[in-house]
């Protein structure tokens, strides 16, 4: 049978009238019935009153009705969301496919795609309406999923753009967490770290977002029950549902930023984390984005700290740093404010170095090899500038052909130190060589022989010179131990008077030989101080011995003890040749000897007073000198009073 099928998109009133006069019974031959039942499509037969005549098995299974229930049922009971069949036929229009929602017997709704057409008899008269229905639930779910995924990715992309443009990445991460939470219908998102390297595992929350009505939710307490599992599954996605209180929790590892224990945590109540695969893709995208942002924060923080550290190092250097181009223009300038050549960088940057320093000095600093481009390092040692009394050295280091770094260092102190070292070596050599020369001479004389009196004199001189050399070596060793800190003095409570008496007794034989008297003026009873007995004896023996050495015969040396200004003061007063004012400031330098002492040919090494001062200062005291030429000298030692 060659049936004509016409879409019923638009029915004219005439055709409607003809259809209304047709037999409402649906009849078909056996072959048609078999095809009707066996087709895989859902087929409904509808009369012209828009009531179902019958439906095949697929259609009945779709709606949940049997054939008796659906027969005679109005189409409006099944098709929801508006009337769809009362439309006018347009001749030649073969397409009438549209989407609607069908209501099943149990009340559930199902999205379908409907194709309708009119079936006519041999005479061309309409007989019934044929409706083919296709279930599009899966397609609709996929479309919804794709739409949601596209929306989620759009939200994440927008948040990414804001994050990368924002000068404050940390606030941007919070926005990404908020966007992620709202897109996936979560109530909380957090970035956290589990620290299990020191004792019990600890949770550190770095960033978090919570819905407004969840502001009282304790994120750390909510994660705590899962710590052990998180540590065991640090490289895998973790999810679990907690019933008391009811929430579901998921943690996605953030690799490479927060160590091996960094996670993106999510909290859900509605969907209980039953997300489709596309949502996990969104979560993974957000996780990667946050990981990259955290990595950027880490890099920026590292760069900032390095810049700060480098700046602190540069600013703490005692040198003057100048960066210049081949034309001699100062590109950058840094100097410690205490540097003798300090000028604020704003006043000198952009000027030529030759406008600041003499041209001849600048040419020497650059070197002949760097007149056009910077090609080789150049070191200039020892130059002076007209406006400074210091001596400087410069070191030029090329950065590239068009830039070089010049380091200017004040070497005045170093030169003075070298002079002091040279002077020390010369003086020490002289002091050690003089007694040694005398000893060698006496040994030669003894070897040549002589009278007993002559030999006794030779032996006496040799013994004195050797003792002199031994004392000098002992003094040098003691000075070295004091300077290096290897010699530690024990400061204890002791009575000063016995120390002074023993020191005077040690010097008394020398004083008697010279006819000089020693007198102690001290209060009755003990004078308690803090000090070291052996070290103080060495101090006072040295000072009293010096007083005897520089005093004339028949004079008197007084050792006066009193207290003032919180100290015990010991003054050694002589009536000797005195010290010139210009020499007093140098008295305690190693190997220093005043000119009048040298002229008078009074023996000595010049290191004793250096040791005296070092010992007294080590004990927390101080020493002062007052003197007048040819009218005596007074050394006053200040020592701490014992409590």
């Amino acid at each position: 049978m060659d049936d004509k099928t016409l879409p019923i998109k638009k029915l004219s009133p005439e055709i409607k009238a003809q259809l209304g006069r047709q037999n409402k019974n649906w009849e078909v031959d056996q072959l048609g019935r078999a095809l009707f039942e066996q087709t895989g499509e859902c087929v409904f037969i509808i009369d012209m009153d828009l009531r179902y005549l019958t439906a095949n098995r697929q259609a009945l299974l779709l709606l949940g009705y049997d054939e008796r229930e659906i027969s005679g049922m109005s189409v409006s009971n099944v098709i929801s969301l508006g009337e769809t069949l009362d439309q006018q036929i347009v001749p030649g229009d073969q397409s009438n496919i549209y989407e609607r929602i069908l209501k099943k017997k149990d009340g559930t709704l199902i999205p379908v795609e409907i194709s309708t057409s009119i079936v006519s008899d041999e005479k061309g008269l309409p007989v019934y309406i044929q409706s083919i229905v296709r279930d599009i639930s899966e397609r609709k779910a996929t479309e919804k999923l794709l739409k949601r995924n596209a929306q989620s990715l759009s939200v994440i992309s927008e948040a990414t753009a804001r994050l990368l443009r924002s000068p404050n990445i940390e606030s941007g991460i919070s926005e990404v967490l908020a966007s992620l939470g709202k897109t996936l219908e979560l109530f909380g998102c957090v970035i956290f770290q589990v620290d299990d390297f020191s004792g019990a595992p600890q949770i550190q929350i770095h960033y978090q977002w919570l819905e407004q009505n969840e502001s009282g939710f304790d994120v750390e307490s909510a994660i705590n029950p899962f710590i052990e599992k998180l540590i065991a599954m640090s490289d895998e996605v973790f999810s679990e549902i907690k019933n008391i209180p009811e929430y579901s929790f998921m943690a996605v590892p953030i690799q490479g930023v927060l160590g091996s224990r960094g996670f993106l945590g999510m909290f859900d109540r509605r969907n209980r984390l039953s997300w489709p695969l596309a949502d996990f893709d969104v979560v993974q995208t957000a996780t990667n984005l946050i990981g990259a942002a955290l990595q950027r924060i880490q890099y920026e923080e590292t760069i900032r700290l390095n810049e700060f550290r480098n700046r602190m190092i540069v600013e703490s250097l005692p040198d003057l740093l100048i960066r210049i181009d081949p034309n001699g223009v100062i590109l950058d300038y840094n100097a410690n404010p205490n540097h003798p050549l300090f000028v604020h960088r704003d006043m000198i940057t952009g000027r030529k170095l030759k406008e600041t320093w003499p041209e001849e000095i600048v040419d020497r600093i650059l070197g002949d090899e760097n007149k056009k481009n910077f090609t080789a390092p150049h070191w200039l040692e020892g130059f002076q500038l007209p406006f400074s009394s210091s001596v400087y050295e410069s070191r030029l280091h090329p950065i590239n052909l068009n830039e070089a770094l010049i380091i200017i260092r004040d070497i005045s102190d170093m030169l003075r130190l070298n002079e002091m070292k040279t002077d020390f070596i010369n003086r020490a050599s002289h002091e050690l060589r003089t007694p040694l020369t005398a000893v060698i001479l006496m040994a030669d004389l003894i070897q040549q022989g002589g009278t007993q009196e002559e030999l006794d004199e030779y032996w006496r001189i040799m013994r004195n010179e050797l003792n002199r050399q031994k004392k000098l070596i002992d003094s040098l060793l003691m000075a070295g131990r004091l300077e290096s800190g290897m010699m530690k003095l024990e400061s204890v409570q002791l009575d000063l008077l016995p120390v002074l008496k023993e020191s005077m007794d040690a010097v008394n034989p020398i004083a008697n030989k010279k006819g000089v008297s020693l007198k102690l003026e001290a209060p009755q009873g003990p004078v308690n101080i803090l000090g070291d007995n052996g070290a103080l004896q060495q101090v006072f023996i040295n000072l009293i011995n010096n007083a005897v050495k520089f005093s004339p015969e028949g004079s008197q040396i007084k050792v006066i003890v009193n207290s003032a200004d919180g100290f015990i003061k010991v003054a050694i007063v002589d009536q000797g040749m005195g010290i010139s004012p210009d020499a007093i400031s140098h008295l305690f330098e190693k190997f220093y000897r005043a000119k009048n002492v040298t002229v008078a040919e009074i023996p000595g090494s010049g290191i004793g007073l250096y040791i005296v001062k070092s010992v007294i200062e080590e004990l927390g005291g101080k020493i002062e000198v007052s003197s007048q030429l040819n009218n005596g000298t007074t050394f006053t030692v200040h020592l701490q009073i014992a409590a």
Side-chain angles (χ1 to χ4, degrees), residues 69-118:
E69 291 175 322
I70 202 169
S71 180
M73 182 183 294
S74 173
V75 171
S76 62
N77 290 344
V78 176
I79 298 179
S80 333
L81 303 179
E83 188 64 51
T84 60
L85 295 178
D86 188 13
Q87 300 180 32
Q88 188 175 6
I89 292 177
V90 177
D93 186 0
Q94 300 297 321
S95 176
N96 192 22
I97 300 175
Y98 47 90
E99 296 177 359
R100 286 293 180 266
I101 302 294
L102 296 188
K103 183 161 60 176
K104 299 171 66 172
K105 181 179 179 180
D106 60 6
T108 58
L109 303 178
I110 179 172
V112 295
E113 182 182 83
I114 300 176
S115 172
T116 59
S117 59
I118 296 175

Side-chain angles (χ1 to χ4, degrees), residues 14-24 48-49 125-126:
E14 293 80 4
I15 293 178
K16 282 188 177 182
Q18 291 179 5
L19 290 173
R21 293 192 292 270
Q22 298 297 322
N23 185 358
K24 297 185 181 299
M48 305 318 296
D49 290 335
L125 297 175

Side-chain angles (χ1 to χ4, degrees), residues 123-348:
K123 297 178 182 181
L125 297 175
V127 179
Y128 56 85
I129 301 170
Q130 178 181 278
S131 177
I132 299 175
V133 177
R134 297 181 182 86
D135 184 356
I136 58 172
S137 300
E138 291 186 5
R139 192 184 81 190
K140 282 296 182 183
T142 302
E143 289 177 356
K144 181 179 179 182
L145 179 60
L146 291 174
K147 183 177 179 182
R148 177 177 175 180
N149 193 25
Q151 181 184 6
S152 301
L153 290 176
S154 174
V155 171
I156 296 299
S157 297
E158 183 182 350
T160 302
R162 290 199 308 270
L163 181 63
L164 296 177
R165 289 195 305 265
S166 172
N168 187 352
I169 294 182
E170 295 195 2
S171 63
I173 291 178
S174 300
E175 291 182 15
V176 172
L177 292 179
S179 300
L180 180 66
K182 292 174 183 177
T183 301
L184 299 180
E185 299 179 348
L186 307 171
F187 73 86
C189 292
V190 297
I191 303 293
F192 69 96
Q193 181 179 359
V194 178
D195 180 8
D196 62 335
F197 294 103
S198 55
Q202 300 291 326
I203 296 173
Q204 299 180 32
I205 306 297
H206 294 283
Y207 307 93
Q208 75 174 35
W209 167 83
L210 292 171
E211 280 188 335
Q212 190 171 0
N213 57 351
E214 297 284 356
S215 57
F217 185 75
D218 189 343
V219 172
E220 187 172 332
S221 298
I223 299 175
N224 260 321
F226 311 115
I227 287 185
E228 298 299 331
K229 294 181 180 179
L230 285 171
I231 294 174
M233 301 173 61
S234 60
D235 296 329
E236 303 174 22
V237 175
F238 169 81
S239 63
E240 191 163 314
I241 296 174
K242 200 170 190 304
N243 294 321
I244 303 175
E246 185 181 82
Y247 63 89
S248 48
F249 170 68
M250 174 178 285
V252 181
I254 302 176
Q255 300 295 340
V257 180
L258 302 175
S260 59
R261 300 287 188 266
F263 300 91
L264 167 63
M266 292 157 284
F267 297 93
D268 187 16
R269 295 197 198 277
R270 303 178 185 89
N271 300 325
R272 299 178 71 80
L273 296 178
S274 56
W275 303 337
L277 182 61
D279 285 350
F280 283 103
D281 292 340
V282 173
V283 170
Q284 194 61 57
T285 300
T287 304
N288 294 338
L289 166 67
I290 292 171
L294 291 174
Q295 193 78 55
R296 178 178 162 186
I297 291 175
Q298 193 175 60
Y299 288 155
E300 289 180 348
E301 181 66 14
T302 301
I303 292 172
R304 187 187 67 80
L305 287 176
N306 285 338
E307 289 178 348
F308 176 75
R309 188 180 298 113
N310 292 338
R311 175 54 63 183
M312 292 298 295
I313 291 173
V314 168
E315 291 183 352
S316 63
L317 290 175
D319 306 323
L320 173 67
L321 305 180
I322 305 173
R323 185 168 60 92
I324 65 171
D325 66 9
N327 297 320
V329 176
I330 299 173
L331 304 175
D332 196 12
Y333 176 95
N334 187 86
N336 190 297
N338 296 324
H339 196 282
L341 300 180
F342 174 78
V343 179
H344 196 281
R345 61 165 55 92
D346 293 343
M347 298 176 61
I348 198 169

Side-chain angles (χ1 to χ4, degrees), residues 481-491 530-532 535 611-622 639-640:
R481 289 196 295 268
L482 285 168
E483 288 180 347
S484 64
M486 295 176 61
M487 183 176 181
K488 298 296 182 183
L489 302 180
E490 184 180 1
S491 186
L530 292 176
D532 182 284
I611 294 175
V612 166
K613 183 173 185 290
S614 300
V615 168
I616 292 173
E617 290 181 348
E618 180 76 13
L619 295 173
K622 61 181 179 179
L639 297 172
Q640 293 187 21

Side-chain angles (χ1 to χ4, degrees), residues 10 54 71 80 168 188 251 266 329 333 370 435 440 468 533 599 633:
K10 295 180 181 178
T54 187
S71 180
S80 333
N168 187 352
M266 292 157 284
V329 176
Y333 176 95
N370 296 310
I440 294 173
R468 176 183 169 190
N533 187 79
V599 171
T633 301

